[in-house]
Amino acid sequence: MNIVERIGQELKRICPEIPVYRDQQREGFIEPSFFVESVNSTLNPELFNYQNRNYGFQVVYFPNPNKPAVDMETIKDILMNNFNTLSDWATLRNRSFNTVDNTLVVNFDVIIRAYPDVKEQKQQEMKYYGGVKSE
């Protein structure tokens, strides 16, 4: 499961009745709904092929058009209280909540420490190069 799927899963846990989109919709978004997109990513290499990765994301909430201000305030409070981790995987950092063009925009970072997934066996057998061989 990738990070965007984890974000969508967490939003569905918090607000199960609200659709979550990842791609633009030709027919337009059903309102209310969430739209999740990746906005930037950076990495800092460390020793032994480890990396500190910072994934920036944006969640846009399209409110109920009949009462957008009240709806955005309600969802903002719900997200501020509950949308702070990706279930036992990562903590959301640098969260910010802004109102832009009658939508609620939530920006945040997911910071992880990554390392290569090496499946090969490191050492298959000891090689004998002379000397006393123990049995």
Side-chain angles (χ1 to χ4, degrees), residues 87-123:
S87 297
D88 299 324
W89 192 71
T91 301
L92 305 183
R93 305 284 184 196
N94 307 318
R95 295 181 304 149
S96 66
F97 297 79
N98 302 296
T99 303
V100 179
D101 296 329
N102 288 325
T103 64
L104 175 65
V105 178
V106 183
N107 291 299
F108 58 93
D109 296 324
V110 177
I111 301 170
I112 62 170
R113 186 166 190 233
Y115 57 91
D117 186 18
V118 179
K119 301 215 185 285
E120 66 190 38
Q121 188 175 358
K122 297 285 184 195
Q123 184 173 342

Side-chain angles (χ1 to χ4, degrees), residues 4 6 19 23 26 63 67 71 82 117 124:
V4 174
R6 289 176 188 271
D23 297 312
R26 288 189 139 167
K67 50 181 181 164
D71 192 24
N82 299 290
D117 186 18
Q124 295 177 1

Side-chain angles (χ1 to χ4, degrees), residues 35-104:
F35 175 68
V36 180
E37 68 179 332
S38 175
V39 290
N40 63 2
S41 299
T42 60
L43 66 90
N44 292 316
E46 295 182 342
L47 295 175
F48 307 111
N49 292 329
Y50 281 84
Q51 298 175 349
N52 273 330
R53 294 183 181 180
N54 184 339
Y55 295 95
F57 288 95
Q58 184 176 76
V59 172
V60 180
Y61 176 68
F62 297 93
N64 182 334
N66 298 326
K67 50 181 181 164
V70 172
D71 192 24
M72 284 190 290
E73 284 299 318
T74 302
I75 292 297
K76 180 170 75 171
D77 287 340
I78 289 170
L79 294 178
M80 288 179 89
N81 292 334
N82 299 290
F83 188 58
N84 44 31
T85 63
L86 299 179
S87 297
D88 299 324
W89 192 71
T91 301
L92 305 183
R93 305 284 184 196
N94 307 318
R95 295 181 304 149
S96 66
F97 297 79
N98 302 296
T99 303
V100 179
D101 296 329
N102 288 325
T103 64
L104 175 65

